[in-house]
Each structure stands twice: as structure tokens, then as C-alpha cells.
Amino acid sequence: MNIAVISYSFTGNNKSLAGSVAKELSAEHIQISEPKTRTMGSIALDMMFSRTPQVQPAPETMERYDLLLFFGPVWMGHVAAPLRAYLKYLKSHPQRYGFLSISGGADGSNPKLTGDLRKRAGADPAVLIDLHIADLLPNREKTVRKDTSAYRLNDSDIHTLTHTMMKKLREDNPLG
């Protein structure tokens, strides 16, 4: 099976995790980039106005794969804006895909994520793994966004999370 791991990462956490999973799967790792530097302000505006920024490489490069595994953060309960161009492409060129994420989680789970993916890609993902940095932090009465946004995955985190994701990928069987 020809698999592409496609990642966007604002902090580097999803990039590191995607690289580790791609290595486990012997898959190509495609990293999405933007021509402009992203800020917290541009994140908020993209999410409020449902904007889709320009990204590289172009989504048309996905046609040769049997399965696409997208890695990226969840912003305000929705897929990060830089992944939107790829999901929009899937809507008119259906392919099997999955969405995997490690993001803050200070505000809890992301119940709207599946619906957002369905709306943008035209189909549910073959696998959805939504992990939270808040779960990696020492127990506190209240984890705040400042704590989760500052956290960077270490080698031990990457190893553990890769194992968790690979187990879920085998259980849900999108790998065929």
C-alpha cells in the first residue's frame, strides 16, 4: 500500500510525531508549508472566517497514494487552516484518508472535529486519532492553554505516542 503522511505543524509537535509514524509505516512524509509566517492572530482570523491559506506543496500531489494520513493541530475545535486546501481537494477527488493530531486539549475534547472533516473532505476519515498535550502534563487542577501551547514533545513522548497511534491504525485497519 502506498501511504503518504502529510503534516502541518505550528509548534513542531505534529511534525515530529508525523515523521515518527511515517518511519514506522515506511511512508513518504510530506510537510505542508506556508509562504507567510503564521501568528496567533492569523490563526484566529483563519478560524473565525473559515479561510484557507495558500500552502505548498499543492494538493494535486496526493493522487498517487492509496491512503493519506494527515497530521495537524486542532484549532478552536476544527482542523488547522493549512490543511483545508488538501481536504477540499479530497472532496472533489475522493481518497481514503485519516486524521491524526496532537494538540493542546486545555479546553477538553473536540466533538465537532469529525463533522468538520466530513464537511471539508466530503467523507468521514478511515481513522481519527485526536490526542491532547494536556494529557501528557502532570495532573493539575486546571491545565491552561499557556501550558499546552508551550509544551514540546520529547523523545519519550514521541515514542509513546507513535506506539499509541500505530496500535490504533492496526485496530481500525485503514492500512488494509
Side-chain angles (χ1 to χ4, degrees):
M1 176 178 281
N2 196 9
I3 302 170
V5 171
I6 302 168
S7 69
Y8 170 78
S9 191
F10 181 66
T11 63
N13 287 335
N14 278 288
K15 175 184 172 184
S16 296
L17 190 53
S20 180
V21 170
K23 185 176 177 183
E24 286 287 318
L25 294 171
S26 298
E28 183 174 356
H29 181 197
I30 301 166
Q31 297 175 48
I32 296 173
S33 63
E34 299 178 275
K36 292 184 179 181
T37 302
R38 183 156 289 279
T39 65
M40 292 306 284
S42 65
I43 289 172
L45 290 171
D46 282 354
M47 300 318 289
M48 286 186 333
F49 296 109
S50 198
R51 298 188 312 197
T52 302
Q54 294 294 315
V55 294
Q56 291 295 326
E60 292 78 15
T61 61
M62 302 184 307
E63 290 181 348
R64 62 186 168 153
Y65 300 100
D66 303 310
L67 176 66
L68 307 168
L69 295 176
F70 294 101
F71 279 76
V74 176
W75 293 339
M76 300 175 166
H78 299 276
V79 175
L83 292 171
R84 290 179 177 167
Y86 285 80
L87 296 172
K88 181 178 180 180
Y89 183 81
L90 286 182
K91 198 168 193 175
S92 58
H93 300 84
Q95 283 179 267
R96 288 187 49 207
Y97 78 99
F99 183 78
L100 301 88
S101 177
I102 180 75
S103 56
D107 299 327
S109 64
N110 298 305
K112 295 180 183 179
L113 185 56
T114 301
D116 190 44
L117 288 164
R118 182 183 311 116
K119 178 181 95 174
R120 294 183 185 287
D124 286 342
V127 63
L128 173 61
I129 304 173
D130 182 24
L131 303 176
H132 301 111
I133 288 171
D135 296 332
L136 300 174
L137 300 176
N139 287 336
R140 297 187 190 169
E141 193 171 300
K142 175 74 174 143
T143 302
V144 295
R145 193 171 292 129
K146 181 178 90 172
D147 298 327
T148 60
S149 63
Y151 190 83
R152 298 298 174 262
L153 297 177
N154 59 44
D155 290 342
S156 177
D157 294 332
I158 293 168
H159 176 77
T160 300
L161 295 172
T162 298
H163 176 76
T164 299
M165 289 187 165
M166 292 302 298
K167 182 179 177 190
K168 178 81 167 149
L169 286 168
R170 284 186 209 92
E171 288 171 0
D172 288 2
N173 200 28
L175 305 175

